[in-house]
Amino acid sequence: NHEGPFRVTLRPMDSLEAINLSLSLNRFFTMWQNVVALALLATAASAATAASADKVLSQHATTLADNSANLALSLYQDMAKEKNVENILISPVVVASSLGLVALGGKATTATQVKTVLNAAKVPDEKLHSGLAELLTEVSDPKTRNVTWKISNRLYGPSTVNFVDAFVKSSKKHYNCDQSKINFKDKKSSLNAINEWAAKSTDGKVPEVIKDIEKTDGAMIINAMFFKPHWDEEFHHKMVDNRGFMASHSYTVSIEMMHRTGLYDFYDDATNKLSILGMPLAHKKSSLVFIMPHQVENLDRVEKVLNKKQLDIWLSKLQQTAVALSLPKVSMEVSHNLQKHLEKLGLTEAGNKSKADLSNMSGKKDLYLSSVFHAATMELSTEGNEMNTTIFSSDKLKSPKLFYVDHPFIFLVKDQKTNSILFIGRMVRPKGEKMRDEL
């Protein structure tokens, strides 16, 4: 007992009280240990996420990223010249991975030509594959980029060829590519097998890669992918209606269009009679850039001035501007055989039956590259991060520029961190019913 302003009385506890106190103290310390452990785990996870976000690309991966723009524009320009080709959709970093697969399986000139096409002469052979793998892993990470980008790769070979174990392991490690032997001479069965694989691996988003098999004794590389950008700020799902997309002055397609007003990177090039608009994707790690002629026209004129230097000028002049935007809410499905286009860029030996040396694939010179199919679906929708509505009560959106995407345009997805081009293409004729001319 203690006498004073306050009286504290201590007395012995009975055994039951002691047991209850002991249990209570144990529960308290157990709970506190769990709280501390969870806090440490959260701190570690946060640090790991920050480290991942701040991760710097290696020098060889950086070189390959920088060169992706050259590959993108060279491929695009050659494909744009082909007659009867309307919509174009290619991923330069995925094409580069397919080329890396050729280098992995090739020897001598067959392998070194890959570095020529990639403009990567300074990248050591042993760093080429790790650099390409590092680049693609970085830009397609769904957590840091917050996009839906599903990529599947497969190498098909004739049923008479056996793939070397070392090649199978390395191609899986660096390019996440599987191998499959197939009887190309049974064309119907082969077509079904390839298209079914592509549809299944992309959750049905790429329903068809190939319509015909021309050469039945070579190897075939297939890329099947689905890309769906998520905007940094969403479109309101009710701000969607049916409009006309003028594929030409005489052909208009009925499509859904989504609308919103916001602050976007914008530049109007009065000299070349076109406008450029950049829309940040979620997490602002990349942007979808639209190149729109002022008037309805085929894209020949714009494509003639589209090169690396001009693209850099356009991108450097983009400024935050109030824009009233209308954009197609569409899905674009495209499949290209890139074989002849890659040959024009310098990959001449891999596809030559008498010269190809792909003996690292099969152990002997019994294989050549017959096709490189690049199939992709891109879906533009309203989805994205929550819209910043406070901007509508300010003067920032006063007198917005109009950017109405209702006729053929060129687009690209530019990655901010790596400076690489993830996609490049054009939309000439979206899917939709032809609209009747009421006049």
Side-chain angles (χ1 to χ4, degrees):
N1 291 334
H2 174 74
E3 297 291 342
F6 301 99
R7 172 175 289 183
V8 178
T9 302
L10 300 177
R11 63 176 176 78
M13 288 187 294
D14 59 33
S15 58
L16 182 59
E17 288 177 316
I19 291 172
N20 287 334
L21 177 61
S22 176
L23 289 173
S24 297
L25 288 173
N26 281 336
R27 281 195 295 269
F28 171 77
F29 284 118
T30 300
M31 180 185 72
W32 182 247
Q33 285 174 334
N34 288 337
V35 168
V36 172
L38 287 171
L40 290 173
L41 283 173
T43 303
S46 177
T49 301
S52 175
D54 297 332
K55 181 183 176 183
V56 178
L57 286 182
S58 63
Q59 182 57 51
H60 42 280
T62 300
T63 298
L64 293 164
D66 291 341
N67 293 340
S68 67
N70 293 319
L71 177 62
L73 292 167
S74 297
L75 257 183
Y76 177 89
Q77 291 286 11
D78 194 62
M79 295 170 71
K81 295 174 185 176
E82 191 173 2
K83 292 182 179 180
N84 302 320
V85 171
E86 293 182 327
N87 298 336
I88 293 175
L89 179 61
I90 51 174
S91 171
V93 291
V94 175
V95 174
S97 294
S98 294
L99 290 168
L101 194 67
V102 175
L104 186 66
K107 289 183 179 179
T109 313
T110 302
T112 57
Q113 282 186 345
V114 168
K115 294 173 74 173
T116 301
V117 176
L118 293 176
N119 194 25
K122 295 181 180 179
V123 178
D125 290 346
E126 67 275 10
K127 298 294 185 181
L128 178 67
H129 308 298
S130 60
L132 288 170
E134 182 184 351
L135 174 60
L136 189 56
T137 299
E138 169 66 37
V139 299
S140 62
D141 184 349
K143 292 183 179 178
T144 57
R145 291 300 192 280
N146 193 21
V147 296
T148 300
W149 191 3
K150 188 171 181 60
I151 306 168
S152 297
N153 303 306
R154 179 164 284 195
L155 174 66
Y156 286 95
S159 53
T160 55
V161 170
N162 291 313
F163 293 110
V164 176
D165 287 343
F167 170 77
V168 171
K169 291 178 182 177
S170 294
S171 61
K172 184 68 175 177
K173 174 185 175 183
H174 294 299
Y175 303 113
N176 196 27
C177 180
D178 296 319
Q179 289 74 35
S180 180
K181 294 198 295 182
I182 196 167
N183 181 14
F184 286 128
K185 292 181 179 180
D186 185 349
K187 288 189 177 184
K188 185 177 180 180
S189 176
S190 299
L191 287 172
N192 290 338
I194 292 170
N195 289 329
E196 285 175 8
W197 164 78
K200 184 177 180 180
S201 61
T202 58
D203 298 325
K205 298 296 185 178
V206 179
E208 185 177 72
V209 171
I210 184 171
K211 294 182 182 293
D212 189 21
I213 296 176
E214 296 178 2
K215 299 175 182 178
T216 61
D217 56 349
M220 184 185 294
I221 296 175
I222 307 281
N223 309 134
M225 71 196 86
F226 171 63
F227 181 74
K228 182 177 181 178
H230 299 261
W231 311 115
D232 181 55
E233 288 193 28
E234 65 186 354
F235 289 77
H236 196 287
H237 67 278
K238 290 186 177 179
M239 294 294 289
V240 178
D241 58 14
N242 290 319
R243 300 286 178 99
F245 185 98
M246 297 182 67
S248 67
H249 285 289
S250 59
Y251 196 98
T252 301
V253 176
S254 175
I255 63 170
E256 284 190 312
M257 294 275 278
M258 45 194 181
H259 316 276
R260 67 155 298 183
T261 300
L263 290 175
Y264 295 106
D265 290 334
F266 178 83
Y267 171 65
D268 187 71
D269 185 343
T271 302
N272 288 304
K273 299 177 182 178
L274 54 85
S275 298
I276 317 291
L277 182 134
M279 291 185 67
L281 304 185
H283 295 351
K284 297 186 178 181
K285 294 292 181 71
S286 56
S287 295
L288 185 50
V289 179
F290 297 90
I291 304 172
M292 279 286 299
H294 287 166
Q295 304 295 330
V296 179
E297 60 178 285
N298 64 41
L299 296 170
D300 293 354
R301 179 186 64 82
V302 179
E303 288 165 345
K304 285 179 181 177
V305 300
L306 179 61
N307 54 46
K308 179 67 164 59
K309 182 179 179 180
Q310 183 61 67
L311 180 61
D312 288 341
I313 291 172
W314 283 333
L315 294 177
S316 70
K317 292 188 176 183
L318 293 173
Q319 292 187 343
Q320 282 272 289
T321 307
V323 178
L325 171 68
S326 293
L327 188 65
K329 183 177 181 289
V330 294
S331 178
M332 187 169 77
E333 301 162 6
V334 184
S335 182
H336 305 289
N337 188 351
L338 302 180
Q339 178 83 358
K340 60 184 177 182
H341 303 295
L342 293 173
E343 287 177 357
K344 290 180 181 178
L345 297 184
L347 193 74
T348 59
E349 211 168 88
N352 189 311
K353 191 174 181 179
S354 61
K355 293 183 179 180
D357 185 351
L358 296 174
S359 52
N360 279 340
M361 283 189 187
S362 62
K364 50 186 177 180
K365 293 177 67 174
D366 60 347
L367 200 57
Y368 74 104
L369 188 64
S370 63
S371 302
V372 180
F373 277 97
H374 192 75
T377 294
M378 182 174 75
E379 184 177 300
L380 301 181
S381 73
T382 59
E383 295 174 28
N385 293 337
E386 188 175 346
M387 191 183 301
N388 176 15
T389 57
T390 60
I391 197 171
F392 297 111
S393 60
S394 69
D395 292 331
K396 292 181 178 179
L397 299 184
K398 189 177 181 180
S399 302
K401 301 284 186 181
L402 297 179
F403 196 81
Y404 199 75
V405 186
D406 69 340
H407 55 275
F409 61 92
I410 299 170
F411 63 88
L412 57 97
V413 179
K414 185 75 162 52
D415 189 64
Q416 311 298 353
K417 179 178 178 180
T418 66
N419 201 37
S420 57
I421 291 183
L422 309 185
F423 280 91
I424 187 170
R426 70 184 184 192
M427 182 177 288
V428 173
R429 190 191 299 261
K431 288 189 300 183
E433 294 295 325
K434 181 181 178 180
M435 295 181 69
R436 293 177 57 191
D437 188 350
E438 299 297 334
L439 298 177

